[in-house]
Amino acid sequence: MKSLKTLLSALSLFAAGSGLAETKPYNVLFIISDDLTYTALSCYGNEVCQTPHIDAIAAKGTRFTRAYCQGTYCGPSRASFMSGYYPHATGALGYKSPRPQIGDRAMWSQHFIQHGYHAARVSKIFHMGVPGGIEKGDHGADDAACWTERYNSKGPEWRAPGEGETLEGNPDGKRPVVGGNTFVVVEAEGDDMVHSDGKTAAKAVELLKERAAEPDKPFWLGVGFVRPHVPFVAPKSYYPPFLPYDKHELPEKVPGDWDDIPKRGINYKTSKNMKMDLRRQKKAVGGYLASVAFMDAQVGKVMAALRDNGLEDNTIVIFTSDHGYHLGEHDFWAKVSLHDESSGVPLIISVAGKAPAVCNSLVELMDLYPTTAALCGLPVPERLQGEDISALLDDPQAMVRDAAFSVAPMQRGFLLRSADWAYIQHGEDASMGQQLYDMKADPQQFKNLVGEDAHKERVAAFKAQMTAKLAALRDNDLDKKPQ
Ligand SMILES: [Ca+2]
């Protein structure tokens, strides 16, 4: 694959040096939502939540149905796709910047700066604490060298005036609305601009206008929305499609569902430990979806500005999330789990002139750095651990890998997801348990096949593949090697 990468990068350099160089270089508009499961978007099949603005990007671009994050919570996922290295290559498993491990190597937007781009960040691209960091409006685990200019979008989060309820750990209903990583729904007074994401969209609109005024300088603009991350806070006007909350259908509950899941694989947030009854569970779904609808409206503002400033024809648009989210599947909630709803991400890449498509190839968020570099005619550094998937935009039937890889350090968990199978192990030697799901016969992942004679060889093969994958990603050019 390395040689293919070299060839492709040589070809794009050739293209840059030929007549094609006279066409304007592409800009990159990277829009990332926080804690967004693909299952909540209408373009991925959700029938309750309408997301017309994200759907419009999908209608023009390539929508990936098997895109996976590399870490199932903010810190490791964002450090990974921005740096181009897997979490276990850098050891960036928590909520800190990966810069100490990366040294002076260029991260994603920094690579573009080094090749003549203007790179701007609005709000959360690297990790920021939500809601705490957003309430303060600080930089979080950001990396200054990645940006020409950067802006934070301070917001009231759970303190926004309105009608709020704490759903989690509140069985008697006496707990007030609280902050932190807590399931809270607030139907807020006021308009979009009260909130962090409203301010993020407005700043992005302003920056696009400024960029359009400097047509000779290509740009890389990162726009990070914090919804639908908890607290589920949005203006009241976004709630009516999701009311009454009781109308929401919860995912199928199967008796004994947890019996064949290793202890480490039971998610850190469950209906049980959050003490959420069915009413609260349904409200959690409705509140989450209202936050998704609000975030989608902000995406619409940014896309309208791209169009109104005449930037649509030479800007690559990417829409994604840092990881997925459980909305009650297996009575799991939130992130961390390595099941598909949490490890899978929505991913849309739209490049003007390329035909709209749906692509089922297994792709990783870490592929975005090499892919955009290739599409923009920049060199693709050999050291990067993702793949250039730009060929999939021309041929959505092509394949770039046989399995996607993701980790949940909080569960000591590792996932290999092939087209037909999901293999999860806990512990690097799998000593804390294994899971195998037949994704064709059992897409909801109810039956763990580990231990069944018919699948012994398959489990052993996946375990060997996992050992090889971990060794390969640690065989890298970084100076500071984690254990
Ligand atoms: Ca997140």
Side-chain angles (χ1 to χ4, degrees), residues 102-130:
I102 299 300
D104 60 5
R105 294 164 189 79
M107 293 204 259
W108 184 9
S109 53
Q110 186 185 11
H111 183 62
F112 280 70
I113 292 175
Q114 291 178 355
H115 289 85
Y117 276 65
H118 179 103
R121 167 180 75 74
V122 188
S123 196
K124 183 172 176 177
I125 301 294
F126 284 93
H127 176 68
M128 283 180 182
V130 180

mmCIF file of all heavy atoms in Angstrom, residues 102-130:
data_model
loop_
_atom_site.group_PDB
_atom_site.id
_atom_site.type_symbol
_atom_site.label_atom_id
_atom_site.label_comp_id
_atom_site.label_asym_id
_atom_site.label_seq_id
_atom_site.Cartn_x
_atom_site.Cartn_y
_atom_site.Cartn_z
ATOM 1 N N ILE A 102 4.195 13.585 18.617
ATOM 2 C CA ILE A 102 4.317 13.890 17.184
ATOM 3 C C ILE A 102 5.576 14.697 16.890
ATOM 4 O O ILE A 102 6.137 14.639 15.794
ATOM 5 C CB ILE A 102 3.062 14.678 16.706
ATOM 6 C CG1 ILE A 102 1.790 13.839 16.911
ATOM 7 C CG2 ILE A 102 3.174 15.089 15.246
ATOM 8 C CD1 ILE A 102 1.759 12.524 16.182
ATOM 9 N N GLY A 103 6.063 15.437 17.913
ATOM 10 C CA GLY A 103 7.260 16.267 17.704
ATOM 11 C C GLY A 103 6.983 17.344 16.674
ATOM 12 O O GLY A 103 5.913 17.947 16.676
ATOM 13 N N ASP A 104 7.935 17.547 15.762
ATOM 14 C CA ASP A 104 7.720 18.633 14.786
ATOM 15 C C ASP A 104 7.082 18.146 13.489
ATOM 16 O O ASP A 104 7.038 18.864 12.499
ATOM 17 C CB ASP A 104 9.039 19.370 14.512
ATOM 18 C CG ASP A 104 10.102 18.441 13.950
ATOM 19 O OD1 ASP A 104 9.793 17.250 13.691
ATOM 20 O OD2 ASP A 104 11.245 18.907 13.762
ATOM 21 N N ARG A 105 6.592 16.924 13.481
ATOM 22 C CA ARG A 105 5.893 16.444 12.276
ATOM 23 C C ARG A 105 4.595 17.228 12.094
ATOM 24 O O ARG A 105 3.951 17.608 13.067
ATOM 25 C CB ARG A 105 5.568 14.950 12.411
ATOM 26 C CG ARG A 105 6.799 14.059 12.434
ATOM 27 C CD ARG A 105 6.445 12.679 12.968
ATOM 28 N NE ARG A 105 7.650 11.892 13.200
ATOM 29 C CZ ARG A 105 8.425 12.035 14.271
ATOM 30 N NH1 ARG A 105 8.120 12.902 15.220
ATOM 31 N NH2 ARG A 105 9.501 11.295 14.404
ATOM 32 N N ALA A 106 4.213 17.432 10.849
ATOM 33 C CA ALA A 106 3.016 18.229 10.581
ATOM 34 C C ALA A 106 1.758 17.397 10.818
ATOM 35 O O ALA A 106 1.642 16.275 10.329
ATOM 36 C CB ALA A 106 3.034 18.742 9.151
ATOM 37 N N MET A 107 0.835 17.971 11.575
ATOM 38 C CA MET A 107 -0.485 17.359 11.686
ATOM 39 C C MET A 107 -1.319 17.838 10.493
ATOM 40 O O MET A 107 -0.843 18.580 9.645
ATOM 41 C CB MET A 107 -1.092 17.652 13.044
ATOM 42 C CG MET A 107 -0.281 16.947 14.161
ATOM 43 S SD MET A 107 -1.191 16.629 15.670
ATOM 44 C CE MET A 107 -0.620 17.956 16.712
ATOM 45 N N TRP A 108 -2.580 17.394 10.438
ATOM 46 C CA TRP A 108 -3.389 17.530 9.214
ATOM 47 C C TRP A 108 -3.430 18.958 8.652
ATOM 48 O O TRP A 108 -2.916 19.235 7.563
ATOM 49 C CB TRP A 108 -4.789 16.976 9.491
ATOM 50 C CG TRP A 108 -5.730 16.942 8.331
ATOM 51 C CD1 TRP A 108 -5.434 17.186 7.006
ATOM 52 C CD2 TRP A 108 -7.135 16.633 8.375
ATOM 53 N NE1 TRP A 108 -6.563 17.039 6.246
ATOM 54 C CE2 TRP A 108 -7.611 16.714 7.046
ATOM 55 C CE3 TRP A 108 -8.018 16.302 9.401
ATOM 56 C CZ2 TRP A 108 -8.949 16.472 6.731
ATOM 57 C CZ3 TRP A 108 -9.353 16.066 9.088
ATOM 58 C CH2 TRP A 108 -9.807 16.148 7.764
ATOM 59 N N SER A 109 -4.032 19.906 9.386
ATOM 60 C CA SER A 109 -4.173 21.266 8.849
ATOM 61 C C SER A 109 -2.815 21.963 8.767
ATOM 62 O O SER A 109 -2.592 22.809 7.901
ATOM 63 C CB SER A 109 -5.143 22.066 9.714
ATOM 64 O OG SER A 109 -4.745 22.002 11.063
ATOM 65 N N GLN A 110 -1.889 21.565 9.648
ATOM 66 C CA GLN A 110 -0.538 22.141 9.636
ATOM 67 C C GLN A 110 0.193 21.788 8.337
ATOM 68 O O GLN A 110 0.937 22.598 7.780
ATOM 69 C CB GLN A 110 0.224 21.593 10.851
ATOM 70 C CG GLN A 110 1.587 22.193 11.077
ATOM 71 C CD GLN A 110 2.305 21.500 12.232
ATOM 72 O OE1 GLN A 110 1.868 20.449 12.720
ATOM 73 N NE2 GLN A 110 3.408 22.089 12.669
ATOM 74 N N HIS A 111 -0.039 20.567 7.855
ATOM 75 C CA HIS A 111 0.541 20.133 6.582
ATOM 76 C C HIS A 111 0.067 21.064 5.458
ATOM 77 O O HIS A 111 0.841 21.414 4.559
ATOM 78 C CB HIS A 111 0.091 18.684 6.317
ATOM 79 C CG HIS A 111 0.661 18.077 5.074
ATOM 80 N ND1 HIS A 111 2.011 17.882 4.885
ATOM 81 C CD2 HIS A 111 0.050 17.593 3.950
ATOM 82 C CE1 HIS A 111 2.207 17.304 3.700
ATOM 83 N NE2 HIS A 111 1.033 17.118 3.115
ATOM 84 N N PHE A 112 -1.206 21.463 5.541
ATOM 85 C CA PHE A 112 -1.745 22.379 4.530
ATOM 86 C C PHE A 112 -1.134 23.773 4.672
ATOM 87 O O PHE A 112 -0.823 24.420 3.670
ATOM 88 C CB PHE A 112 -3.284 22.413 4.616
ATOM 89 C CG PHE A 112 -3.928 21.230 3.920
ATOM 90 C CD1 PHE A 112 -3.820 19.942 4.444
ATOM 91 C CD2 PHE A 112 -4.610 21.399 2.728
ATOM 92 C CE1 PHE A 112 -4.395 18.851 3.786
ATOM 93 C CE2 PHE A 112 -5.186 20.316 2.061
ATOM 94 C CZ PHE A 112 -5.078 19.043 2.589
ATOM 95 N N ILE A 113 -0.934 24.223 5.916
ATOM 96 C CA ILE A 113 -0.270 25.526 6.126
ATOM 97 C C ILE A 113 1.118 25.505 5.490
ATOM 98 O O ILE A 113 1.521 26.440 4.800
ATOM 99 C CB ILE A 113 -0.153 25.849 7.642
ATOM 100 C CG1 ILE A 113 -1.536 26.095 8.255
ATOM 101 C CG2 ILE A 113 0.756 27.068 7.861
ATOM 102 C CD1 ILE A 113 -1.520 26.306 9.770
ATOM 103 N N GLN A 114 1.823 24.383 5.684
ATOM 104 C CA GLN A 114 3.186 24.278 5.148
ATOM 105 C C GLN A 114 3.215 24.251 3.620
ATOM 106 O O GLN A 114 4.274 24.365 3.020
ATOM 107 C CB GLN A 114 3.875 23.037 5.728
ATOM 108 C CG GLN A 114 4.171 23.194 7.220
ATOM 109 C CD GLN A 114 4.821 21.963 7.841
ATOM 110 O OE1 GLN A 114 4.983 20.931 7.178
ATOM 111 N NE2 GLN A 114 5.188 22.065 9.109
ATOM 112 N N HIS A 115 2.048 24.052 3.010
ATOM 113 C CA HIS A 115 1.977 24.072 1.550
ATOM 114 C C HIS A 115 1.125 25.238 1.050
ATOM 115 O O HIS A 115 0.429 25.118 0.037
ATOM 116 C CB HIS A 115 1.480 22.727 1.023
ATOM 117 C CG HIS A 115 2.518 21.665 1.200
ATOM 118 N ND1 HIS A 115 2.664 20.953 2.371
ATOM 119 C CD2 HIS A 115 3.516 21.249 0.382
ATOM 120 C CE1 HIS A 115 3.694 20.127 2.255
ATOM 121 N NE2 HIS A 115 4.222 20.283 1.067
ATOM 122 N N GLY A 116 1.168 26.323 1.799
ATOM 123 C CA GLY A 116 0.593 27.577 1.304
ATOM 124 C C GLY A 116 -0.847 27.847 1.664
ATOM 125 O O GLY A 116 -1.424 28.832 1.203
ATOM 126 N N TYR A 117 -1.450 26.975 2.475
ATOM 127 C CA TYR A 117 -2.854 27.188 2.839
ATOM 128 C C TYR A 117 -2.993 28.088 4.065
ATOM 129 O O TYR A 117 -2.093 28.174 4.903
ATOM 130 C CB TYR A 117 -3.533 25.838 3.146
ATOM 131 C CG TYR A 117 -4.039 25.094 1.922
ATOM 132 C CD1 TYR A 117 -3.141 24.614 0.961
ATOM 133 C CD2 TYR A 117 -5.395 24.852 1.739
ATOM 134 C CE1 TYR A 117 -3.607 23.917 -0.149
ATOM 135 C CE2 TYR A 117 -5.869 24.157 0.631
ATOM 136 C CZ TYR A 117 -4.970 23.691 -0.318
ATOM 137 O OH TYR A 117 -5.438 23.011 -1.400
ATOM 138 N N HIS A 118 -4.178 28.689 4.164
ATOM 139 C CA HIS A 118 -4.616 29.392 5.364
ATOM 140 C C HIS A 118 -5.475 28.381 6.129
ATOM 141 O O HIS A 118 -6.408 27.825 5.560
ATOM 142 C CB HIS A 118 -5.455 30.602 4.945
ATOM 143 C CG HIS A 118 -5.990 31.405 6.082
ATOM 144 N ND1 HIS A 118 -5.447 32.608 6.471
ATOM 145 C CD2 HIS A 118 -7.032 31.185 6.916
ATOM 146 C CE1 HIS A 118 -6.122 33.092 7.493
ATOM 147 N NE2 HIS A 118 -7.091 32.254 7.785
ATOM 148 N N ALA A 119 -5.143 28.115 7.384
ATOM 149 C CA ALA A 119 -5.928 27.129 8.143
ATOM 150 C C ALA A 119 -6.606 27.801 9.326
ATOM 151 O O ALA A 119 -5.947 28.455 10.138
ATOM 152 C CB ALA A 119 -5.052 25.984 8.628
ATOM 153 N N ALA A 120 -7.921 27.657 9.404
ATOM 154 C CA ALA A 120 -8.670 28.276 10.492
ATOM 155 C C ALA A 120 -9.474 27.225 11.240
ATOM 156 O O ALA A 120 -9.944 26.244 10.658
ATOM 157 C CB ALA A 120 -9.603 29.354 9.952
ATOM 158 N N ARG A 121 -9.602 27.438 12.529
ATOM 159 C CA ARG A 121 -10.422 26.551 13.368
ATOM 160 C C ARG A 121 -11.501 27.358 14.046
ATOM 161 O O ARG A 121 -11.227 28.415 14.622
ATOM 162 C CB ARG A 121 -9.555 25.886 14.450
ATOM 163 C CG ARG A 121 -10.375 25.198 15.539
ATOM 164 C CD ARG A 121 -9.526 24.544 16.616
ATOM 165 N NE ARG A 121 -8.923 25.474 17.566
ATOM 166 C CZ ARG A 121 -9.576 26.121 18.541
ATOM 167 N NH1 ARG A 121 -10.877 25.990 18.679
ATOM 168 N NH2 ARG A 121 -8.920 26.934 19.363
ATOM 169 N N VAL A 122 -12.734 26.843 13.976
ATOM 170 C CA VAL A 122 -13.813 27.412 14.787
ATOM 171 C C VAL A 122 -14.306 26.306 15.710
ATOM 172 O O VAL A 122 -14.783 25.262 15.267
ATOM 173 C CB VAL A 122 -14.977 27.949 13.931
ATOM 174 C CG1 VAL A 122 -15.965 28.697 14.826
ATOM 175 C CG2 VAL A 122 -14.483 28.861 12.823
ATOM 176 N N SER A 123 -14.131 26.528 16.993
ATOM 177 C CA SER A 123 -14.562 25.637 18.071
ATOM 178 C C SER A 123 -13.845 24.284 18.049
ATOM 179 O O SER A 123 -12.662 24.221 17.748
ATOM 180 C CB SER A 123 -16.091 25.509 18.085
ATOM 181 O OG SER A 123 -16.520 24.953 19.318
ATOM 182 N N LYS A 124 -14.555 23.209 18.312
ATOM 183 C CA LYS A 124 -13.923 21.940 18.727
ATOM 184 C C LYS A 124 -13.438 21.084 17.552
ATOM 185 O O LYS A 124 -14.250 20.469 16.862
ATOM 186 C CB LYS A 124 -14.937 21.151 19.577
ATOM 187 C CG LYS A 124 -14.376 19.840 20.133
ATOM 188 C CD LYS A 124 -15.335 19.198 21.123
ATOM 189 C CE LYS A 124 -14.818 17.834 21.595
ATOM 190 N NZ LYS A 124 -15.689 17.234 22.611
ATOM 191 N N ILE A 125 -12.130 21.048 17.358
ATOM 192 C CA ILE A 125 -11.533 20.133 16.375
ATOM 193 C C ILE A 125 -10.687 19.115 17.153
ATOM 194 O O ILE A 125 -10.968 17.928 17.129
ATOM 195 C CB ILE A 125 -10.704 20.890 15.322
ATOM 196 C CG1 ILE A 125 -11.593 21.894 14.584
ATOM 197 C CG2 ILE A 125 -10.055 19.884 14.351
ATOM 198 C CD1 ILE A 125 -12.696 21.316 13.716
ATOM 199 N N PHE A 126 -9.655 19.559 17.851
ATOM 200 C CA PHE A 126 -9.020 18.699 18.855
ATOM 201 C C PHE A 126 -9.978 18.639 20.053
ATOM 202 O O PHE A 126 -10.986 19.341 20.095
ATOM 203 C CB PHE A 126 -7.672 19.292 19.310
ATOM 204 C CG PHE A 126 -6.565 19.117 18.312
ATOM 205 C CD1 PHE A 126 -6.289 20.105 17.366
ATOM 206 C CD2 PHE A 126 -5.786 17.968 18.309
ATOM 207 C CE1 PHE A 126 -5.262 19.949 16.440
ATOM 208 C CE2 PHE A 126 -4.758 17.805 17.386
ATOM 209 C CZ PHE A 126 -4.493 18.792 16.452
ATOM 210 N N HIS A 127 -9.625 17.853 21.061
ATOM 211 C CA HIS A 127 -10.532 17.701 22.190
ATOM 212 C C HIS A 127 -10.774 19.013 22.941
ATOM 213 O O HIS A 127 -9.859 19.788 23.179
ATOM 214 C CB HIS A 127 -10.010 16.661 23.183
ATOM 215 C CG HIS A 127 -10.891 16.559 24.389
ATOM 216 N ND1 HIS A 127 -12.164 16.054 24.309
ATOM 217 C CD2 HIS A 127 -10.716 16.973 25.661
ATOM 218 C CE1 HIS A 127 -12.730 16.140 25.507
ATOM 219 N NE2 HIS A 127 -11.879 16.692 26.342
ATOM 220 N N MET A 128 -12.031 19.224 23.292
ATOM 221 C CA MET A 128 -12.428 20.262 24.257
ATOM 222 C C MET A 128 -13.433 19.612 25.181
ATOM 223 O O MET A 128 -14.254 18.810 24.713
ATOM 224 C CB MET A 128 -13.155 21.424 23.560
ATOM 225 C CG MET A 128 -12.274 22.373 22.809
ATOM 226 S SD MET A 128 -13.302 23.672 22.068
ATOM 227 C CE MET A 128 -12.032 24.582 21.215
ATOM 228 N N GLY A 129 -13.384 19.949 26.451
ATOM 229 C CA GLY A 129 -14.371 19.402 27.377
ATOM 230 C C GLY A 129 -15.741 20.005 27.096
ATOM 231 O O GLY A 129 -15.868 21.206 26.953
ATOM 232 N N VAL A 130 -16.734 19.141 26.995
ATOM 233 C CA VAL A 130 -18.124 19.601 26.820
ATOM 234 C C VAL A 130 -18.921 19.017 27.970
ATOM 235 O O VAL A 130 -18.862 17.796 28.178
ATOM 236 C CB VAL A 130 -18.702 19.122 25.475
ATOM 237 C CG1 VAL A 130 -20.152 19.600 25.311
ATOM 238 C CG2 VAL A 130 -17.852 19.610 24.304
#
